[in-house]
Amino acid sequence: REVGRFANFDNENKVSQLNEVQQHVLDTIQNYFGWNRKEDQESRSKKQDDENYELRSTKDEIKNENKHIPEIEESSINNRLSSIPKEVVLLHGVTSSGKTEIYVKLIEQAIAQGKQVLYLLPEIALTTQIINRLRKYFGDAVGVYHSKFNENERVEVWRNVLQVQNRKSEAGSFNSGSATNNNQPTTNYKLIVGARSALFLPYSNLGLVIVDEEHDTSYKQYDPAPRYNARDAAIYLAHIHKAKTLLGSATPCLETYYNAQEGKYGFVEINQRFGGVQMPEILIADVKEATRKKLMKSHFSPLLLDTVTLALEQKEQVVLFQNRRGFAPQLECNMCAWVPHCTNCDVSLTFHKASNQLRCHYCGYATKPPSKCAACGDTDIKMKGFGTEKIEEELSIFFPKAKIARMDLDTTRSKFAHQHIIQDFEDGNIDILVGTQMVTKGLDFDNVTMVGVLNADSMLNFPDFRSFERSYQLMAQVSGRAGRKNKRGKVIIQTQNPDHVIIQDVIENNFLSMYTQQLSDRKDFNYPPYYRLIEITLIHKEIEMVNASAKYLADELKRHFQKRVLGPEFPLVSRIRNLYHKNILLKIERDASVAQVKKIVNDLLVQFKTKSDYKSVRVQMDVDPM
Ligand SMILES: [Zn+2]
Ligand SMILES: [Zn+2]
């Protein structure tokens, strides 16, 4: 057992070397955390004199950046430089910029201080790749924790986190590098890697929390309650432990980036990929134009098909992204436009070809596809739209020799399914990987040179104030899978709106442009980060009850919060599992007293629940809904 190597952080021969950019980023983060020793600081200030790479951390560069962001006042920049240290730091590094190596150095340092480290990832799928890398550095000191483990496995992890607590008094031995631990059980964990449920392990001695891909919506736990964002909960957990939090992302969440720009968080940026790998070339396939010229082959533009062909000829791998699973999102009668709907929910049923079923993605209801229209009896029923299953099938027609696999919720239900698909792809047993947003997230594959986005418009047109930000994040993230050391990656985005501002931002890799535009919209329309949102959902099996109770509660709320109350309004899908839903949205100024708002809302809800008419109405609260 090589506990000693954690103590050898200073011995550069025993740990891999960071490049200059990474070293600078590491120095900056350590500085924010107050983890530097004096001699380090001296050598760093010498080094800073001859820096010539693209990093925004000197004062002049920050001033320069200031020109693009009118919201930042000169004073807040001075403040940002002087208000070091920070509890939370945002590391904004483009895809493949070598963030993991920086994490490793910080983890080593925290462990050397006798502390525990929590490394959060948004998806279980991601833990597979990361864990293999981290085991090379930390061996048995790494524990993995997520919800796909069975109870026994979870108990074991729980115990191994607890053991550290029991032996806390011996923590000093890590610093001295002595071998006194050799007779102790060797399984207790210094580093826990996990999805959001790993937040609730019995830590006693946390020193560092890393939230990787901090923008990811999978960090939000919604159903069942408690409703929380694991990123925000992690920051609070770290705060309780007087630990530091590092947020990492190539496409930070708007609120997080804003907090960094405002100086609430420390901020450090990497604008280039590791090892001189170029950012991918992003090309647009104009689907409208191709359709007009009758060049589309089903859902594929000539540009996309040609690029896939070329990649396959070069024995390179391809990732294709389509944000719908199943075969076709809906069926429709060609005569009368009748659409089969779920019997329990107000939503159309998705056709799944492999199982020959129509399925509801909200409640799981499944039925056989109808042979004729239920409204007019016509047998001409066509499929509308396309999901990953259809893409997979059509690819096998266009590329009969290619090995094609699909990664979405339907193919990853079993415990090791993710792992197997990722392993197969890494081993070169798959040529084309088709998937939902699962394929966009942080996976690194050495031989992927081409990425295709089948339908950018469905994301951009989604009715939500975050849809532009999300679209940018998804497209930038999936693009990040393309490219390798000696070959620039290629990304093809299929869209009806080539001039869309978000598409242009993605092409130019211009996060700042997206951020600035979105921020100004959020300000104009009172959305986060300027306002906090609280969504109150009323649920009942009778629509009249939902309507009446929602109106009553909204009126009560308006007496206190006036125009900060929006709705009540039916959500996109208003009936789920035979229960009607209606939303009231509260928009509260960022600087308002949270405690006061909480008290008023709570009092109103108590009053609401005691009104006999509405006792049977279920009320759900979601603070900071996503
Ligand atoms: Zn019909
Ligand atoms: Zn349903």
Side-chain angles (χ1 to χ4, degrees):
R1 179 168 167 76
E2 298 178 74
V3 168
R5 78 176 129 156
F6 302 130
N8 286 335
F9 178 71
D10 295 331
N11 186 346
E12 287 298 327
N13 297 328
K14 294 215 173 179
V15 287
S16 60
Q17 286 278 348
L18 298 183
N19 68 21
E20 261 188 312
V21 176
Q22 289 172 316
Q23 188 58 50
H24 180 97
V25 169
L26 180 66
D27 287 347
T28 309
I29 295 169
Q30 287 171 328
N31 203 34
Y32 277 127
F33 286 170
W35 283 6
N36 274 343
R37 280 146 297 180
K38 261 194 182 134
E39 56 270 27
D40 289 346
Q41 278 165 1
E42 279 159 19
S43 69
R44 191 184 57 254
S45 61
K46 263 180 223 150
K47 254 181 72 182
Q48 250 165 7
D49 294 336
D50 46 46
E51 262 157 20
N52 54 359
Y53 35 80
E54 237 187 310
L55 273 172
R56 296 185 194 164
S57 41
T58 69
K59 198 173 172 182
D60 282 346
E61 278 164 337
I62 288 171
K63 271 186 187 160
N64 194 29
E65 171 188 288
N66 182 32
K67 285 173 192 152
H68 305 288
I69 309 172
E71 279 78 13
I72 295 177
E73 310 262 300
E74 178 71 9
S75 63
S76 76
I77 289 182
N78 293 333
N79 181 36
R80 189 163 109 192
L81 287 174
S82 60
S83 62
I84 293 171
K86 304 282 186 202
E87 279 190 6
V88 183
V89 173
L90 169 63
L91 169 52
H92 177 210
V94 295
T95 51
S96 307
S97 56
K99 291 193 285 287
T100 310
E101 288 74 17
I102 295 164
Y103 296 162
V104 165
K105 292 291 181 185
L106 291 165
I107 294 167
E108 279 177 337
Q109 197 173 0
I111 292 175
Q113 292 164 5
K115 302 282 191 178
Q116 294 168 302
V117 178
L118 168 61
Y119 185 152
L120 278 184
L121 288 157
E123 293 262 354
I124 295 164
L126 281 177
T127 56
T128 308
Q129 261 197 342
I130 296 280
I131 201 73
N132 290 339
R133 276 200 224 166
L134 292 176
R135 284 234 160 91
K136 284 180 192 154
Y137 291 96
F138 303 107
D140 293 341
V142 187
V144 187
Y145 190 82
H146 55 64
S147 55
K148 277 201 181 177
F149 281 178
N150 66 36
E151 220 158 275
N152 287 339
E153 290 168 318
R154 281 197 251 179
V155 167
E156 200 189 320
V157 179
W158 183 278
R159 288 216 179 103
N160 280 316
V161 173
L162 264 183
Q163 272 184 350
V164 175
Q165 181 181 11
N166 297 338
R167 298 167 60 236
K168 202 162 104 184
S169 55
E170 297 171 37
S173 60
F174 292 111
N175 284 330
S176 65
S178 74
T180 51
N181 282 331
N182 280 351
N183 299 328
Q184 299 291 333
T186 56
T187 45
N188 63 75
Y189 298 136
K190 316 288 183 298
L191 168 61
I192 288 288
V193 181
R196 57 178 186 253
S197 57
L199 276 173
F200 302 105
L201 288 168
Y203 305 102
S204 56
N205 194 23
L206 266 183
L208 174 67
V209 178
I210 295 171
V211 185
D212 205 4
E213 312 294 342
E214 68 83 30
H215 64 278
D216 201 295
T217 51
S218 300
Y219 278 125
K220 177 78 182 189
Q221 165 70 31
Y222 180 74
D223 197 23
R227 299 180 182 85
Y228 64 94
N229 187 316
R231 175 201 59 218
D232 301 333
I235 291 171
Y236 192 69
L237 179 73
H239 175 76
I240 294 171
H241 284 264
K242 297 188 170 61
K244 307 298 179 187
T245 306
L246 181 64
L247 308 175
S249 177
T251 53
C253 163
L254 223 67
E255 287 92 324
T256 302
Y257 200 80
Y258 179 79
N259 280 333
Q261 297 301 323
E262 290 291 291
K264 187 177 173 192
Y265 299 163
F267 178 66
V268 61
E269 196 169 35
I270 313 175
N271 289 321
Q272 60 198 49
R273 283 181 152 185
F274 181 76
V277 177
Q278 279 183 292
M279 293 301 287
E281 178 188 15
I282 299 176
L283 301 171
I284 297 304
D286 185 340
V287 172
K288 211 184 232 169
E289 175 86 357
T291 307
R292 196 175 55 78
K293 291 181 176 166
K294 301 198 189 321
L295 292 172
M296 290 295 284
K297 287 186 177 158
S298 184
H299 307 291
F300 300 92
S301 62
L303 179 61
L304 191 119
L305 285 179
D306 291 349
T307 314
V308 173
T309 306
L310 206 66
L312 294 180
E313 278 171 10
Q314 316 269 337
K315 304 263 178 273
E316 293 158 358
Q317 289 172 303
V318 172
V319 169
L320 295 181
F321 166 58
Q322 166 61 5
N323 217 11
R324 292 298 290 259
R325 64 190 169 94
F327 195 84
Q330 66 181 49
L331 302 186
E332 191 181 287
C333 170
N334 228 358
M335 287 299 288
C336 74
W338 170 79
V339 172
H341 276 75
C342 178
T343 53
N344 311 317
C345 314
D346 280 341
V347 68
S348 62
L349 294 167
T350 299
F351 177 54
H352 289 254
K353 193 171 181 181
S355 55
N356 192 34
Q357 277 181 332
L358 288 178
R359 262 190 248 153
C360 173
H361 287 181
Y362 282 79
C363 73
Y365 169 83
T367 182
K368 274 242 145 62
S371 53
K372 58 185 201 301
C373 172
C376 75
D378 200 277
T379 52
D380 184 11
I381 293 175
K382 67 184 176 203
M383 283 180 247
K384 286 193 76 183
F386 58 101
T388 45
E389 197 186 8
K390 190 172 189 194
I391 294 301
E392 184 189 21
E393 183 183 287
E394 292 187 342
L395 281 170
S396 67
I397 298 167
F398 293 123
F399 305 101
K401 285 180 187 158
K403 286 162 282 178
I404 301 158
R406 171 161 57 95
M407 186 158 82
D408 57 26
L409 199 63
D410 298 316
T411 63
T412 55
R413 288 187 198 276
S414 68
K415 188 170 169 182
F416 296 110
H418 281 122
Q419 230 162 303
H420 289 150
I421 296 172
I422 290 167
Q423 194 62 50
D424 271 357
F425 199 49
E426 271 180 350
D427 294 346
N429 299 327
I430 297 168
D431 300 314
I432 307 175
L433 182 62
V434 184
T436 53
Q437 52 179 314
M438 274 182 201
V439 299
T440 69
K441 297 181 179 189
L443 298 164
D444 282 330
F445 300 109
D446 290 340
N447 197 33
V448 173
T449 57
M450 191 245 159
V451 162
V453 176
L454 272 304
N455 183 0
D457 306 321
S458 63
M459 297 182 270
L460 290 166
N461 295 334
F462 189 77
D464 185 277
F465 75 91
R466 284 197 177 90
S467 62
F468 283 11
E469 179 191 3
R470 292 259 167 79
S471 303
Y472 180 90
Q473 287 165 340
L474 280 169
M475 284 189 272
Q477 288 288 343
V478 74
S479 300
R481 307 309 125 218
R484 57 183 197 191
K485 201 170 175 71
N486 45 14
K487 178 145 187 182
R488 192 177 181 196
K490 211 170 232 185
V491 179
I492 310 294
I493 298 178
Q494 296 195 148
T495 176
Q496 311 251 11
N497 306 289
D499 300 325
H500 196 291
V501 59
I502 292 295
I503 303 246
Q504 292 303 316
D505 288 342
V506 171
I507 292 173
E508 289 159 18
N509 185 33
N510 198 340
F511 177 85
L512 214 53
S513 160
M514 184 281 291
Y515 170 76
T516 311
Q517 180 57 48
Q518 287 304 300
L519 200 64
S520 126
D521 286 355
R522 301 282 179 90
K523 193 169 198 173
D524 290 348
F525 298 103
N526 299 350
Y527 277 105
Y530 299 101
Y531 278 66
R532 286 193 83 170
L533 304 182
I534 302 173
E535 190 178 68
I536 304 171
T537 306
L538 295 100
I539 303 166
H540 199 271
K541 62 181 189 299
E542 287 161 29
I543 191 165
E544 296 80 11
M545 189 62 125
V546 166
N547 280 332
S549 61
K551 185 179 182 315
Y552 167 80
L553 184 59
D555 286 346
E556 288 298 303
L557 285 162
K558 277 171 191 165
R559 288 202 298 122
H560 295 272
F561 297 107
Q562 292 87 31
K563 60 178 174 38
R564 295 179 191 83
V565 182
L566 266 71
E569 221 171 66
F570 285 113
L572 216 55
V573 178
S574 58
R575 188 176 55 114
I576 301 170
R577 294 173 204 272
N578 287 316
L579 294 171
Y580 287 93
H581 291 59
K582 207 161 191 180
N583 291 337
I584 300 168
L585 192 65
L586 257 180
K587 288 178 168 181
I588 307 293
E589 290 87 339
R590 175 62 48 177
D591 51 6
S593 157
V594 176
Q596 207 186 336
V597 171
K598 201 169 158 184
K599 186 176 184 320
I600 296 172
V601 173
N602 263 336
D603 289 351
L604 283 176
L605 286 180
V606 169
Q607 186 196 328
F608 177 86
K609 275 283 164 193
T610 51
K611 275 209 61 138
S612 56
D613 287 359
Y614 306 131
K615 263 181 187 159
S616 58
V617 176
R618 234 170 79 205
V619 183
Q620 268 182 9
M621 298 272 292
D622 189 11
V623 178
D624 303 329
M626 289 190 81

